[in-house]
Amino acid sequence: MIKTWLKGTSLLYKKEIKDSFLSPFVYILSGLFIALGGWVFFSLLVSAKNATEATLTASVLIPSFSLYRFILMIICPLLTMRLLSEEKKNHTIELLYLSDLNNSQIIFSKFLSSLTIVVFMLGLTTLFPAILGFSGYSDWGVVLSGYGGLVLLCMAYISIGLFASSLSSNYVICLVLAIFMMLGLWFLVLSAGNTDNYLVGLILRYFSETYHFESFARGTVRSFNFVYFFSFVTFFMFLTGKSLNSRRW
Amino acid sequence: MDGGHALDKAIELINVSKLYPGVSALTDVTFSVKKGSVHGFLGPNGAGKSTTMNIITGLIPPTGGTVKVFGEDVQANPESARRKIGFLPEHAPLYENMKVSEYLKFVQSINSLRSTVNSDDYLETLELCGLTEVSHRLIKNLSKGFRQRVAIAQALIGRPEIVILDEPTVGLDPKAIVEIRELIYSLREKHTILLSTHILHEVNLICDHITIINKGIITSTGPIHEIQGGEEGTQIILAEVLNWKDELRPVLFRDLPLEDLLVEKSGSDTRLTFKLKGKDDYRGWISDILVKNQCSLLQLSKQTVDVENLFKSATAEKPTKGRVQ
Ligand SMILES: Nc1ncnc2c1ncn2[C@@H]1O[C@H](COP(=O)(O)OP(=O)(O)OP(=O)(O)O)[C@@H](O)[C@H]1O
Ligand SMILES: [Mg+2]
């Protein structure tokens, strides 16, 4: 049972990965990401006054993770916008519907393929902390938690993007939808700061991914941060499944 | 209904209807496809051919009614129906970035997840569809004719008992059309085939059964020879008169097994189209009635009902403007 599920998922996953890495799109995005990321990292480094371990963590690493996050907010929907919309546009989704694959396999394989690409891109940026490491920096706990947080954040963004991609056969619309959904979440944390009601503020903050990501970036992770991200991803995958079902015309 | 009879039907639709928001795409569609037949599904644009086929394959659910594939309800058991059907949808579901052989292999593997045997079925299919020479080319670089072959090949992967093709020859050049037709014709020995088309001539060439649909309603269905004026066939008689009197209409309907009478005024003449049920020759009767009523009969002829006429009469807008008041 699980074996056939994995077999189908990996078949589709391989196809997606092959498609992605054969097109220049992924390389262009990776290039832009590492260029921007590098620029951010080194300008923070230059502006850091005295390079002690504590100041490096506080004024270089933590801010650079926060800035990566904004770049990923654009990159993730760019990666996911075509995933389902193109299958719809080309009618190949019908091929998948009529095969042995079910919705969960379609959704997971697409999710994983995007995650693979994002992890590949993030992997490129580990070069920067590694350079710090050569010059004696050793607070790896923060680095690890920061990257862990970014990966979880990307999982959330990819699940939003995948859901958006299931809503239309036009990928520009999917892109715009995904970006608006992410902005909506981000505004939650802003309005949480504006409300006078402590409880409402707390709830709004809990629902915003920014709040949870910041725990990772600072290296103060709690288990509910994980719970948040996993329920987030599950919820959007569930919605994607619903959307695929209803779109069987 | 006895069991043997039921198994004779590869596909059976009973009162299938489909409502889209604001549009009724299918209304009480009932017909069956005999096992081993090549069944043509005819209808003008927007008649509901693709909708019907999508419902048979389980791609979309019907609003009401039952679809059975080899006696099994598709709604209740979509899995088993799917295994028995190979489907070419209206829009060929091709992955442009794949090579032909890679694509067919992919289709084969996503359709045989549960089987443990490692078959090289796709290689046979490549050959069967005449794709060997292009097997290493990217699908996006193929000509339309070859693309269509790949799309048909995709439907044949896994050797399904039933093959459903939605307008397999649409948009191809005459040479490619002939080739695709030959391919379909060669499949008839091993598969039951249901194909939709609006090329009437095609039906005469390769089909042995037909179903005609117009605006979501089945207008006739059965073996082609029966429909072309056999026992229960309809016949059409054309008459031209100088003085048509509308009072004659009820008289004609009373005296003849008339199904429909079309009255068109053309210049000073009036053209009458009699659609009659039965196999007797009614020309004598008609001429008697018309002559007796001083209509000045100019011409009278019997038309053999071929698919084309049947199609025309089935799909004609009921002309209110042409009718003499
Ligand atoms: N998804 C949909 N939503 C609303 N209406 C639809 C939808 N799909 C089809 N229809 C309508 O249903 C009717 C039947 O369409 P269908 O595509 O089945 O016709 P068809 O016989 O295949 O036509 P064609 O020869 O053009 O392919 C049409 O009036 C069409 O506009
Ligand atoms: Mg159609």
Side-chain angles (χ1 to χ4, degrees):
Chain A
M1 209 44 214
I2 284 184
K3 218 175 134 197
T4 50
W5 190 88
L6 285 176
K7 197 168 141 196
T9 310
S10 80
L11 264 169
L12 205 52
Y13 171 78
K14 276 183 211 148
K15 175 201 153 278
E16 291 297 330
I17 286 289
K18 203 173 159 193
D19 267 1
S20 305
F21 282 99
L22 280 179
S23 88
F25 190 61
V26 165
Y27 300 104
I28 294 170
L29 276 186
S30 308
L32 286 175
F33 183 49
I34 196 162
L36 261 168
W39 179 72
V40 162
F41 188 82
F42 285 104
S43 30
L44 285 169
L45 193 59
V46 167
S47 61
K49 296 278 169 352
N50 45 354
T52 64
E53 191 133 315
T55 52
L56 278 180
T57 305
S59 62
V60 179
L61 279 172
I62 293 177
S64 67
F65 284 137
S66 294
L67 285 161
Y68 287 173
R69 170 188 162 206
F70 289 105
I71 310 175
L72 289 168
M73 268 180 107
I74 305 295
I75 286 188
C76 290
L78 280 173
L79 285 174
T80 52
M81 64 182 180
R82 301 184 120 106
L83 285 179
L84 290 163
S85 65
E86 200 159 73
E87 301 258 12
K88 270 190 185 160
K89 199 175 98 215
N90 296 338
H91 295 272
T92 45
I93 194 91
E94 291 163 33
L95 198 69
L96 302 182
Y97 281 160
L98 291 176
S99 72
D100 287 348
L101 297 168
N102 57 28
N103 281 351
S104 71
Q105 287 166 306
I106 297 174
I107 294 168
F108 265 101
S109 54
K110 305 240 166 201
F111 176 82
L112 285 180
S113 71
S114 296
L115 189 62
T116 308
I117 295 165
V118 170
V119 168
F120 164 77
M121 289 181 179
L122 280 175
L124 296 176
T125 66
T126 54
L127 182 69
F128 310 134
I131 289 171
L132 283 190
F134 284 126
S135 43
Y137 180 81
S138 65
D139 196 355
W140 298 117
V142 171
V143 174
L144 209 67
S145 129
Y147 274 105
L150 283 175
V151 169
L152 286 172
L153 197 66
C154 288
M155 286 168 68
Y157 290 160
I158 290 169
S159 63
I160 291 184
L162 195 57
F163 172 58
S165 182
S166 75
L167 294 176
S168 166
S169 59
N170 178 330
Y171 59 76
V172 179
I173 292 177
C174 297
L175 176 68
V176 173
L177 280 175
I179 289 178
F180 270 92
M181 282 191 259
M182 293 189 317
L183 285 180
L185 277 173
W186 187 38
F187 288 156
L188 280 183
V189 87
L190 297 184
S191 37
N194 288 339
T195 174
D196 292 333
N197 188 323
Y198 175 73
L199 196 65
V200 171
L202 208 65
I203 292 170
L204 285 178
R205 252 195 355 211
Y206 183 81
F207 278 111
S208 166
E209 92 290 7
T210 310
Y211 167 66
H212 295 272
F213 171 65
E214 274 165 3
S215 316
F216 280 92
R218 288 199 211 94
T220 55
V221 190
R222 303 272 175 72
S223 60
F224 71 84
N225 298 131
F226 284 99
V227 171
Y228 171 80
F229 279 113
F230 284 108
S231 37
F232 190 104
V233 170
T234 312
F235 177 66
F236 274 96
M237 283 193 172
F238 171 77
L239 286 186
T240 313
K242 282 271 169 227
S243 155
L244 280 185
N245 268 342
S246 73
R247 293 273 155 160
R248 294 191 169 197
W249 299 276
Chain B
M1 197 198 309
D2 61 315
H5 189 61
L7 283 180
D8 205 36
K9 292 174 176 167
I11 305 171
E12 191 178 9
L13 285 89
I14 306 157
N15 292 328
V16 172
S17 60
K18 178 74 190 177
L19 287 171
Y20 285 117
V23 202
S24 172
L26 299 177
T27 317
D28 280 342
V29 165
T30 300
F31 72 95
S32 54
V33 176
K34 201 169 157 260
K35 193 179 171 193
S37 65
V38 180
H39 198 110
F41 194 35
L42 269 167
N45 290 129
K49 304 182 294 294
S50 303
T51 306
T52 308
M53 292 181 149
N54 287 336
I55 288 174
I56 296 173
T57 54
L59 211 47
I60 59 174
T63 313
T66 320
V67 181
K68 289 179 179 172
V69 170
F70 289 113
E72 246 181 303
D73 193 326
V74 172
Q75 287 276 86
N77 196 351
E79 195 80 342
S80 101
R82 230 189 46 213
R83 285 175 184 286
K84 291 182 180 117
I85 298 178
F87 182 37
L88 167 68
E90 184 162 32
H91 304 275
L94 300 174
Y95 285 114
E96 306 273 322
N97 288 330
M98 287 190 180
K99 288 176 184 152
V100 174
S101 57
E102 186 188 0
Y103 171 74
L104 291 179
K105 193 172 176 187
F106 178 76
V107 173
Q108 181 187 316
S109 47
I110 60 172
N111 280 302
S112 57
L113 288 179
R114 282 177 201 78
S115 84
T116 43
V117 282
N118 237 337
S119 96
D120 275 339
D121 184 29
Y122 78 98
L123 289 175
E124 273 169 47
T125 314
L126 266 178
E127 205 169 300
L128 178 70
C129 299
L131 290 165
T132 321
E133 54 175 313
V134 295
S135 70
H136 290 293
R137 290 185 43 196
L138 289 177
I139 291 178
K140 66 176 163 201
N141 298 335
L142 293 181
S143 71
K144 228 172 174 181
F146 271 118
R147 288 168 66 93
Q148 197 66 3
R149 278 168 191 251
V150 177
I152 293 176
Q154 163 275 125
L156 299 177
I157 291 275
R159 300 284 166 275
E161 287 169 74
I162 302 170
V163 178
I164 299 182
L165 308 168
D166 197 351
E167 304 198 20
T169 55
V170 81
L172 303 181
D173 70 34
K175 185 168 162 280
I177 288 182
V178 171
E179 287 170 0
I180 296 283
R181 255 181 224 153
E182 276 169 4
L183 173 60
I184 296 170
Y185 200 61
S186 72
L187 297 175
R188 77 192 183 288
E189 279 161 19
K190 291 186 184 142
H191 309 267
T192 301
I193 300 168
L194 173 64
L195 80 149
S196 77
T197 177
H198 45 237
I199 306 173
L200 303 159
H201 165 65
E202 191 159 271
V203 172
N204 273 327
L205 284 177
I206 53 181
C207 300
D208 43 39
H209 286 67
I210 56 170
T211 295
I212 301 179
I213 187 171
N214 186 35
K215 292 184 183 157
I217 297 165
I218 301 289
T219 55
S220 43
T221 178
I224 212 162
H225 61 86
E226 244 173 55
I227 285 181
Q228 283 177 332
E231 279 289 314
E232 315 159 290
T234 35
Q235 51 176 302
I236 289 179
I237 293 174
L238 298 173
E240 261 178 51
V241 296
L242 218 49
N243 309 312
W244 168 248
K245 300 177 183 112
D246 222 30
E247 312 90 81
L248 279 179
R249 181 176 269 278
V251 178
L252 290 164
F253 269 96
R254 193 191 59 214
D255 293 349
L256 297 164
L258 205 53
E259 281 208 320
D260 200 7
L261 172 61
L262 221 69
V263 184
E264 290 164 296
K265 198 132 184 92
S266 63
S268 57
D269 308 348
T270 304
R271 190 177 304 150
L272 308 170
T273 310
F274 296 83
K275 196 170 157 195
L276 297 137
K277 203 145 188 96
K279 54 178 177 172
D280 298 344
D281 195 344
Y282 292 105
R283 275 177 298 182
W285 295 33
I286 290 173
S287 95
D288 279 355
I289 296 171
L290 293 175
V291 169
K292 206 161 61 193
N293 288 286
Q294 284 130 23
C295 287
S296 313
L297 183 61
L298 302 173
Q299 198 189 327
L300 190 67
S301 64
K302 184 174 174 179
Q303 205 173 44
T304 52
V305 182
D306 62 8
V307 175
E308 190 145 358
N309 291 320
L310 203 70
F311 185 65
K312 269 188 202 149
S313 67
T315 59
E317 294 285 329
K318 291 280 177 265
T320 41
K321 57 178 188 292
R323 221 163 235 172
V324 176
Q325 297 307 310

